[in-house]
Amino acid sequence: MNTLTDEIQTFHGGCPHDCPDTCSMVYKVKQGKLIEVKGNADHPMTRGGLCVKLKDYEKRHYHPDRLLYPMKRTGPKGSKQFQRISWDEALDTIVDRWQGLIAQYGPRAILPASYLGNQGLVHGLNGGDAFFNRLGATVCERTFCGEGSCTAWLLTVGPTAGVDPESFIHSKYIIIWACNSVSTNLHHWHIVKEAQKKGAKVVVIDSYASKTAKEADWHIAPKPGTDGALAMAMMNVIIADGLVDHDYVANYTVGYKELAERASRCTPEWAEAITGIPAQDIRKLAREYATTAPAAIRLGVALERNYGGSQAIRAVTCLPALIGAWRDVGGGALQFPVWEHPYRFDVISRPDLIPEGTPVVNILQLGRALTGEIPLETPIKSLMVWNTNPVTQSPETDKIIKGLQREDLFTIVADHFITDTAAYADLVLPAAMGAEMEDMILSWGHLYLTYNTKCVEPPGEALPNNEIFRRLAQRLGFEEDNFKWSDSECLEHYVAWDSPACEGIDLNYLREHGFARLKVGTKDDRAPHKHGNFPTPTGKCMFYVEGAKNFVAGPFRQMYEGFQPLNDLDPLPDYVPSRESADSNPALAARYPLSIISPKSHGFLNSCYANVADKIKGQGEQFVMINPVDADMRGIREGAKVRVFNDRGAFEGNARITQDVNPNIIVATLGYWRQLNEGTVNCISSAEFGDMGHSTTFSDNLVQLELA
Ligand SMILES: Nc1nc2c(c(=O)[nH]1)N[C@H]1C(S)=C(S)[C@@H](COP(=O)(O)OP(=O)(O)OC[C@H]3O[C@@H](n4cnc5c(=O)[nH]c(N)nc54)[C@H](O)[C@@H]3O)O[C@H]1N2
Ligand SMILES: Nc1nc2c(c(=O)[nH]1)N[C@H]1C(S)=C(S)[C@@H](COP(=O)(O)OP(=O)(O)OC[C@H]3O[C@@H](n4cnc5c(=O)[nH]c(N)nc54)[C@H](O)[C@@H]3O)O[C@H]1N2
Ligand code: SF4
Ligand SMILES: [Mo]
């Protein structure tokens, strides 16, 4: 392939960001440079459009702040004073330091930290995992996103993709539950809008008037963390009003009697007191939902982000079976279609290489682990970070910073920029970006495989993640195939190409076409649970799970099998209150009376793009949305600089006074860089887990607000 010509060449791309849309892209290359990136017009979900974050993706590749060379720290930690070194010096330093640590403490003194900053099978999931498992390092458990939801989903309906997101075109009643699709799932939203035009009613259940809520036919705003009460009360109404599909329930579900008994105490009046939603609205919602077919529910990740979030998700996931919604094309529920993708996580991550008894540190509790708050037999002496930016994204930021400042911690960060985490590194390594490496991109929001071509060379000396790990593995003498495969060979091994879902699809097909729909039915005929067929141990939808146990699930589930201390769970779904709310913790609420939600920013992708001037301009500086009642009480005017704080820390933002949030709730979106702001939202977030799957509790925090 010669791309160094004046001729413009086009290549298939796949957006590597952590986003359910996994857009198929078209790269245009001239003279060896990426000159334009567009959405693939042929892809039924991408439909030729990218989001505001990616619309000029080529510019990100050539951003003047991009990391081009390995560098070592020359000033104090956090000072961002670095000096260029060679790759050989960087890799030799890492291996020397690690071998010293291994001799003294054993490999468990080394902790990897990564996430889905790159969602590629090769450069996102591989390399690092297999490499650190082989090294015998402490395992990093990564439950940033959806793991409580996955546990709840698997317990109830098993690993099914549920409704095809494209089948929503046939739905007549659509509930978008704690998902801000206009910002976070744009390429599903256009399907919802089309269904709406064709007469579907779109209901958005969100604790504030998000962009998506504003486009709904009906916005319902429960207090954060009270969705479980809403779902249980919907069941109560459906049962009391005789709207149950008894035939479906009898044939394809387990535990109706027990569920009905539990729901019998969850009256709409009971739920009104908890959620703040009038009982008559709850009745109306339940009746409309149960009597309008096809009815589809889209579960947002945000539904899990409080202590009782996963029990709420179990309750919501029971609703479609109760009314027989699964009978119809476009009826049922949608969580993560990733379950039907034939990725071979066992080959990608090689959990079999983890030595028995290896300890686990959860990325949400990184600060606690680095500061010794969590007792570890082998203290963490070295941290390697790639594909994640925990300083802005993990909770309890102040503790993370304290940990990263430790002189005895040897920290390596591979990234595209000097992020808030890289600022504390001893060594920074320049990572390659989208168009610079071959990969297939994991998809958790649709039923297509997605290919990404390497069509330009990385600038400077940047390297793809997998190449960094290959070089480290070679220096350490690792012999396993994983560390020898080229990126193409990895792809041959990472997908179960011989599975029925891949019939007629291979890597060459993907190279030629850029994407391929899995062979799991079409949007017009797919009704996977019309006749039950739930991939649960009973083959039925599990309202009641005898001996239910907690476990960590999610795309990385193989990583944790055998690691979790499994606690018992309630066999039935229920409403479980938040840890921090005025009702559940009045003593704390006396000091910190406001619930805060910190959802995704429209213009950033987690913390990506929050260092790019025109993206900040589009998104606006960090703001805090405040109801006029709460603002007046504190003498806060529109635009004033405010400080949000609790015992864990503080951050600042500009007051945006609005009826879009109810009293006693504030909203500050996520992603802003600490380097550019006074603190970030996660300074106030708790690292306590939710009720299942070690999920996050980002919507379960009380704070106070004052003029800065
Ligand atoms: N308060 C609050 N906190 C949250 C959430 C919330 O809703 N509220 N959401 C949580 C959720 S759902 C998630 S998924 C997490 C996300 O948290 P993170 O995964 O930490 O997300 P990013 O900030 O995007 O960080 C990814 C980093 O990887 C880098 N990167 C991208 N591609 C590559 C590559 O190819 N190689 C290398 N070496 N680096 C690369 C990017 O530049 C970026 O710095 O945040 C969680 N934190
Ligand atoms: N623009 C943009 N898109 C993204 C991302 C991004 O950072 N920016 N991140 C990507 C990632 S990693 C993920 S996981 C997805 C997440 O996608 P979403 O699940 O949509 O995530 P959020 O925007 O955090 O939250 C969605 C909505 O849930 C509401 N919410 C929060 N807590 C509660 C609650 O307790 N009850 C109810 N009913 N509503 C609540 C919030 O107000 C918010 O409007 O988005 C992906 N797409
Ligand atoms: S971030 Fe999401 S919506 Fe934007 S281009 Fe990537 S996959 Fe598509
Ligand atoms: Mo996420």
Side-chain angles (χ1 to χ4, degrees):
M1 166 176 85
N2 173 20
T3 53
L4 288 173
T5 68
D6 272 341
E7 198 189 318
I8 296 175
Q9 292 174 293
T10 61
F11 299 90
H12 291 301
C15 176
H17 281 290
D18 185 358
C19 170
D21 295 21
T22 309
C23 288
S24 174
M25 308 194 297
V26 180
Y27 292 135
K28 290 196 177 168
V29 176
K30 187 179 164 186
Q31 283 286 3
K33 266 198 121 178
L34 191 63
I35 56 164
E36 192 181 63
V37 181
K38 287 205 140 142
N40 186 338
D42 299 331
H43 190 285
M45 290 198 70
T46 308
R47 296 193 190 175
L50 302 177
C51 62
V52 288
K53 290 120 21 199
L54 271 278
K55 66 178 173 45
D56 49 4
Y57 191 37
E58 70 284 357
K59 284 197 190 141
R60 186 169 181 78
H61 285 69
Y62 304 111
H63 193 282
D65 295 342
R66 181 130 178 232
L67 265 172
L68 300 178
Y69 305 100
M71 296 195 290
K72 69 176 179 196
R73 179 171 65 86
T74 54
K77 293 202 178 202
S79 66
K80 298 203 290 179
Q81 293 168 34
F82 295 103
Q83 178 194 323
R84 181 177 168 184
I85 55 172
S86 68
W87 268 108
D88 275 339
E89 182 180 342
L91 297 174
D92 288 343
T93 308
I94 296 171
V95 169
D96 281 356
R97 289 291 298 264
W98 281 355
Q99 279 172 337
L101 289 175
I102 291 168
Q104 199 177 348
Y105 303 97
R108 294 174 185 179
I110 301 163
L111 177 71
S114 71
Y115 199 61
L116 294 174
N118 177 328
Q119 285 204 145
L121 301 189
V122 178
H123 304 290
L125 303 176
N126 164 34
D129 280 2
F131 174 84
F132 282 101
N133 291 345
R134 171 66 179 79
L135 191 65
T138 290
V139 166
C140 180
E141 180 180 78
R142 297 160 295 192
T143 58
F144 259 142
C145 179
E147 280 68 24
S149 170
C150 289
T151 307
W153 181 261
L154 294 181
L155 281 173
T156 315
V157 290
T160 168
V163 196
D164 181 345
E166 288 178 78
S167 297
F168 276 60
I169 190 68
H170 301 296
S171 310
K172 289 287 173 237
Y173 204 80
I174 297 177
I175 301 182
I176 309 268
W177 207 317
C179 184
N180 184 14
S181 311
V182 170
S183 299
T184 63
N185 196 186
L186 186 62
H187 297 86
H188 183 234
W189 182 246
H190 60 63
I191 297 169
V192 174
K193 285 302 272 189
E194 258 178 62
Q196 191 183 34
K197 275 195 209 115
K198 283 174 47 190
K201 181 161 181 175
V202 177
V203 182
V204 171
I205 304 179
D206 195 305
S207 301
Y208 89 108
S210 66
K211 283 185 195 289
T212 311
K214 287 184 174 171
E215 293 199 31
D217 297 302
W218 189 11
H219 171 209
I220 296 174
K223 291 179 194 165
T226 65
D227 303 85
L230 177 58
M232 291 305 293
M234 284 174 73
M235 281 181 205
N236 176 291
V237 176
I238 289 167
I239 295 167
D241 288 13
L243 301 173
V244 172
D245 182 337
H246 284 291
D247 185 47
Y248 193 91
V249 165
N251 286 312
Y252 308 129
T253 70
V254 171
Y256 174 69
K257 200 172 126 273
E258 290 85 353
L259 184 71
E261 194 188 316
R262 166 114 359 138
S264 66
R265 62 173 162 78
C266 305
T267 62
E269 285 70 22
W270 164 84
E272 173 175 337
I274 296 168
T275 60
I277 302 164
Q280 69 205 41
D281 284 356
I282 299 175
R283 286 203 170 83
K284 183 174 159 206
L285 173 67
R287 286 173 186 153
E288 285 183 359
Y289 169 67
T291 56
T292 321
I297 300 177
R298 202 285 183 254
L299 292 131
V301 174
L303 198 45
E304 76 166 12
R305 293 194 190 119
N306 36 66
Y307 182 68
S310 306
Q311 270 293 62
I313 290 171
R314 274 177 83 190
V316 173
T317 308
C318 288
L319 292 171
L322 202 60
I323 62 160
W326 291 110
R327 288 182 189 278
D328 309 306
V329 177
L334 167 66
Q335 190 235 13
F336 298 159
V338 70
W339 301 114
E340 262 161 74
H341 282 261
Y343 307 129
R344 295 182 62 192
F345 290 105
D346 54 333
V347 181
I348 296 173
S349 295
R350 294 296 306 270
D352 58 300
L353 294 174
I354 302 173
E356 224 181 292
T358 301
V360 175
V361 165
N362 190 291
I363 196 159
L364 300 171
Q365 301 190 333
L366 183 64
R368 296 184 187 183
L370 294 181
T371 52
E373 192 178 319
I374 297 174
L376 288 166
E377 222 169 90
T378 311
I380 304 301
K381 295 286 182 184
S382 179
L383 175 73
M384 178 154 179
V385 183
W386 74 104
N387 289 353
T388 185
N389 182 13
V391 168
T392 64
Q393 302 301 113
S394 279
E396 299 185 354
T397 314
D398 292 3
K399 286 182 194 163
I400 299 178
I401 299 288
K402 208 170 150 212
L404 290 175
Q405 281 170 332
R406 270 175 41 199
E407 279 307 324
D408 66 330
L409 183 75
F410 175 55
T411 304
I412 307 141
V413 178
D415 207 303
H416 300 138
F417 297 96
I418 304 283
T419 62
D420 288 341
T421 307
Y424 289 89
D426 295 288
L427 279 183
V428 288
L429 306 177
M433 205 179 276
E436 299 156 8
M437 48 196 166
E438 183 185 23
D439 216 333
M440 276 175 63
I441 315 297
L442 175 108
S443 170
W444 49 281
H446 59 54
L447 291 166
Y448 295 83
L449 295 174
T450 312
Y451 181 76
N452 183 69
T453 318
K454 173 181 172 165
C455 56
V456 293
E457 289 302 326
E461 294 179 359
L463 288 180
N465 290 339
N466 199 36
E467 178 60 20
I468 298 175
F469 290 112
R470 253 191 308 252
R471 292 186 186 188
L472 283 170
Q474 200 232 339
R475 277 176 159 75
L476 288 161
F478 294 172
E479 290 294 330
E480 287 75 6
D481 290 343
N482 284 63
F483 310 116
K484 298 189 171 152
W485 289 329
S486 66
D487 296 347
S488 297
E489 286 167 333
C490 286
L491 291 176
E492 292 288 0
H493 289 94
Y494 287 178
V495 177
W497 297 106
D498 55 355
S499 67
C502 287
E503 199 195 319
I505 310 167
D506 61 13
L507 202 47
N508 284 335
Y509 178 93
L510 276 180
R511 286 200 174 106
E512 197 176 322
H513 298 274
F515 65 90
R517 188 179 158 94
L518 295 172
K519 298 290 183 294
V520 291
T522 74
K523 71 177 194 323
D524 302 322
D525 65 17
R526 197 183 130 91
H529 308 303
K530 190 181 180 73
H531 306 294
N533 287 325
F534 292 95
T536 56
T538 57
K540 298 182 179 188
C541 172
M542 304 294 288
F543 294 153
Y544 182 92
V545 183
E546 183 84 59
K549 295 256 190 276
N550 190 7
F551 59 96
V552 175
F556 303 120
R557 64 193 183 282
Q558 280 87 348
M559 287 294 293
Y560 314 125
E561 266 163 25
F563 277 90
Q564 291 314 316
L566 304 175
N567 57 292
D568 291 337
L569 293 175
D570 189 337
L572 289 166
D574 202 355
Y575 162 61
V576 174
S578 292
R579 293 176 59 254
E580 297 190 11
S581 74
D583 291 337
S584 66
N585 197 339
L588 188 66
R591 286 193 294 143
Y592 302 118
L594 305 168
S595 285
I596 180 168
I597 319 174
S598 52
K600 308 298 187 182
S601 290
H602 182 75
F604 307 146
L605 200 298
N606 294 315
S607 72
C608 295
Y609 301 93
N611 60 325
V612 177
D614 60 333
K615 303 286 181 194
I616 301 174
K617 205 165 150 225
Q619 162 66 23
E621 303 276 341
Q622 177 83 66
F623 53 85
V624 181
M625 298 170 73
I626 311 167
N627 184 275
V629 172
D630 293 316
D632 281 353
M633 206 187 283
R634 294 168 177 82
I636 295 168
R637 296 231 185 91
E638 177 70 18
K641 186 66 91 188
V642 293
R643 184 169 170 270
V644 178
F645 62 99
N646 60 19
D647 289 341
R648 291 180 285 266
F651 72 94
E652 291 183 5
N654 302 327
R656 208 177 263 184
I657 299 170
T658 168
Q659 299 284 357
D660 289 348
V661 292
N662 286 329
N664 300 319
I665 300 174
I666 61 171
V667 174
T669 64
L670 170 79
Y672 293 89
W673 285 29
R674 190 182 167 87
Q675 299 169 34
L676 305 172
N677 294 276
E678 222 25 76
T680 63
V681 283
N682 278 327
C683 293
I684 59 81
S685 301
S686 162
E688 289 300 309
F689 297 136
D691 54 346
M692 285 179 220
H694 287 175
S695 67
T696 67
T697 50
F698 291 121
S699 294
D700 191 343
N701 296 283
L702 284 170
V703 292
Q704 181 53 293
L705 178 68
E706 63 184 13
L707 278 168

